[in-house]
């Protein structure tokens, strides 16, 4: 059964996955980039290819979202599976992204859009005006996300706007299967953020999980932003994007330095006007 790790791009999804992968998929809680491969993304090209779906037919891919999830869960039985996504929780032409039969719940990671836009622009090598347009647009076609194993393999992910992405996943609230995690809290209080996720996972899985305090200490040491930056400098990160001439773009670039004050006043005002309701709700305004 899936526990979704959902977010708009550049909101801290990798940070959350790093913490959970280090704790649940290592013996000692010490993080390395290879551990992230235990948490696949959805949609993922290889999942559809392996199950015989025509990946060149976008309609077929969308039609098979739930069917692919059903097959994965049938193979895994009742095992717990964390799954990353940047997709909004929407239906496209009547076909749902997921359902309660395949989903235990969601950990939704959110970040102040004034900070998202800087990281988004760097990651996609676009200017702030272009990035503002993409954060604001209402189209369900949000872009393409790299496959984790083969950087050349790409598949459409229906991201939506920053607001539609955030609001869509609230559907899990009415079933008490929703946990909101703010990027800012991950940075300022990673231990408490992890414990909130750990307790939520325990509740959803209905399993008695014993917290390994020694392991957690290693998780916190090896998933700090500074540590991840150093790790990226020492060894390439397979999820880092590339420029058209194949040069790696630094993935862990801003971190605490990204205060949102680095953006021009007019860009900041447009973001605040467009997303004022959600930003006030989240305490960003």
């Amino acid at each position: 059964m899936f526990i979704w790790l959902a977010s708009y791009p550049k909101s801290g999804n990798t940070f959350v996955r790093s913490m959970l992968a280090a704790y649940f998929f290592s013996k000692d809680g010490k993080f390395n980039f290879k551990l992230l491969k235990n948490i696949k993304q959805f949609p993922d090209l290889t999942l559809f290819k392996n199950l015989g779906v025509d990946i060149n037919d976008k309609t077929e891919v969308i039609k098979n979202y739930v069917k692919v999830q059903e097959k994965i869960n049938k193979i895994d039985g009742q095992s717990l599976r964390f799954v990353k996504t940047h997709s909004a929780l929407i239906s496209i032409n009547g076909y749902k992204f997921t359902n309660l039969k395949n989903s235990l719940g969601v950990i939704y990671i959110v970040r102040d859009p004034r900070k998202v836009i800087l990281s988004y622009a760097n990651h996609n090598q676009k200017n702030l005006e272009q990035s503002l347009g993409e954060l604001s647009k209402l189209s369900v076609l949000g872009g393409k996300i790299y496959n984790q194993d083969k950087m050349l393999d790409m598949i459409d992910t229906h991201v939506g706007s920053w607001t539609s992405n955030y609001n869509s996943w609230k559907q899990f609230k009415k079933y008490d299967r929703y946990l909101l995690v703010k990027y800012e809290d991950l940075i300022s209080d990673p231990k408490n953020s992890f414990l909130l996720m750990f307790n939520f996972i325990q509740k959803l899985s209905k399993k008695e999980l014993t917290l390994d305090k020694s392991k957690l200490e290693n998780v916190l040491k090896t998933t700090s932003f500074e540590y991840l930056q150093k790790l990226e400098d020492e060894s390439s990160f397979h999820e880092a994007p590339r420029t058209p001439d194949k040069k790696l773009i630094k993935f862990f670039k801003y971190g605490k330095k990204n205060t949102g004050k680095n953006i021009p006043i007019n860009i900041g005002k447009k973001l605040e006007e467009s997303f004022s309701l959600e930003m006030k709700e989240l305490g960003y305004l």
Side-chain angles (χ1 to χ4, degrees):
M1 295 288 285
F2 293 5
I3 292 182
W4 296 98
L5 308 178
S7 68
Y8 192 83
K10 307 311 295 178
S11 298
N13 204 305
T14 302
F15 197 177
V16 167
R17 286 185 295 131
S18 299
M19 296 176 84
L20 296 180
Y23 187 87
F24 287 100
F25 302 111
S26 76
K27 291 181 180 179
D28 55 10
K30 294 180 180 179
F31 176 74
N32 64 72
F33 288 139
K34 290 181 181 179
L35 290 172
L36 287 176
K37 294 187 178 182
N38 289 289
I39 302 178
K40 296 294 185 181
Q41 69 178 24
F42 193 93
D44 181 291
L45 188 67
T46 54
L47 296 176
F48 290 84
K49 284 176 70 175
N50 292 343
L51 292 168
V53 177
D54 182 1
I55 59 170
N56 295 310
D57 187 332
K58 294 181 180 181
T59 302
E60 280 299 303
V61 170
I62 293 166
K63 283 171 63 176
N64 283 282
Y65 276 173
V66 171
K67 288 181 181 178
V68 167
Q69 292 169 32
E70 287 173 348
K71 289 183 179 180
I72 294 168
N73 279 323
K74 189 175 181 180
I75 294 169
D76 285 353
Q78 294 300 311
S79 64
L80 189 65
R81 176 186 283 261
F82 300 114
V83 184
K84 164 197 172 181
T85 192
H86 288 314
S87 176
L89 184 57
I90 54 174
S91 293
I92 303 169
N93 298 326
Y95 298 104
K96 293 182 178 180
F97 175 75
T98 190
N99 58 26
L100 291 175
K101 289 183 179 179
N102 291 291
S103 306
L104 283 177
V106 61
I107 295 173
Y108 190 85
I109 309 106
V110 71
R111 187 183 191 185
D112 188 327
R114 293 168 297 190
K115 300 175 185 178
V116 169
I117 196 169
L118 274 178
S119 294
Y120 188 95
N122 172 68
H123 186 85
N124 295 290
Q125 293 294 282
K126 295 184 177 182
N127 62 42
L128 291 176
E129 285 287 352
Q130 291 171 319
S131 299
L132 175 64
E134 296 195 8
L135 263 71
S136 304
K137 69 181 180 181
L138 297 177
S139 171
V140 296
L141 285 170
K144 296 181 177 180
I145 307 299
Y146 283 104
N147 179 276
Q148 291 187 10
D149 296 313
K150 297 179 180 179
M151 294 300 286
L152 295 178
D153 289 345
M154 301 175 78
I155 188 167
D156 282 349
T157 297
H158 296 255
V159 177
S161 67
W162 181 85
T163 51
S164 65
N165 192 291
Y166 164 63
N167 286 318
S168 69
W169 283 95
K170 292 179 186 176
Q171 294 175 51
F172 275 93
K173 271 187 173 183
K174 57 186 173 184
Y175 305 106
D176 196 25
R177 301 190 193 182
Y178 177 92
L179 177 68
L180 180 70
V181 175
K182 294 171 74 172
Y183 175 89
E184 293 77 14
D185 293 336
L186 286 166
I187 294 293
S188 65
D189 192 355
K191 184 175 183 178
N192 188 55
S193 296
F194 179 88
L195 291 174
L196 286 172
M197 292 189 287
F198 184 86
N199 292 331
F200 180 69
I201 292 163
Q202 182 169 243
K203 182 185 80 171
L204 291 182
S205 63
K206 296 179 181 178
K207 295 179 181 179
E208 286 298 322
L209 303 176
T210 302
L211 182 69
D212 185 327
K213 293 182 179 179
S214 175
K215 199 174 186 181
L216 175 56
E217 286 305 310
N218 284 336
V219 170
L220 298 175
K221 288 176 184 177
T222 60
T223 59
S224 70
F225 193 86
E226 293 76 14
Y227 187 94
L228 293 173
Q229 277 187 319
K230 183 181 177 183
L231 199 60
E232 183 179 17
D233 289 339
E234 293 173 350
S235 60
S236 61
F237 180 36
H238 65 281
E239 293 184 31
R242 294 177 181 269
T243 63
D245 59 354
K246 307 301 180 185
K247 291 182 179 179
L248 280 171
I249 298 168
K250 194 168 180 62
F251 190 93
F252 300 101
K253 183 175 181 178
Y254 292 109
K256 295 178 182 178
K257 294 179 181 178
N258 182 355
T259 63
K261 295 179 180 179
N262 305 11
I263 58 175
I265 294 174
N266 66 313
I267 297 289
K269 284 186 176 179
K270 287 179 182 177
L271 283 169
E272 291 166 8
E273 289 169 1
S274 299
F275 307 147
S276 61
L277 186 64
E278 289 78 14
M279 289 179 73
K280 287 177 182 177
E281 177 183 309
L282 290 162
Y284 292 142
L285 283 180

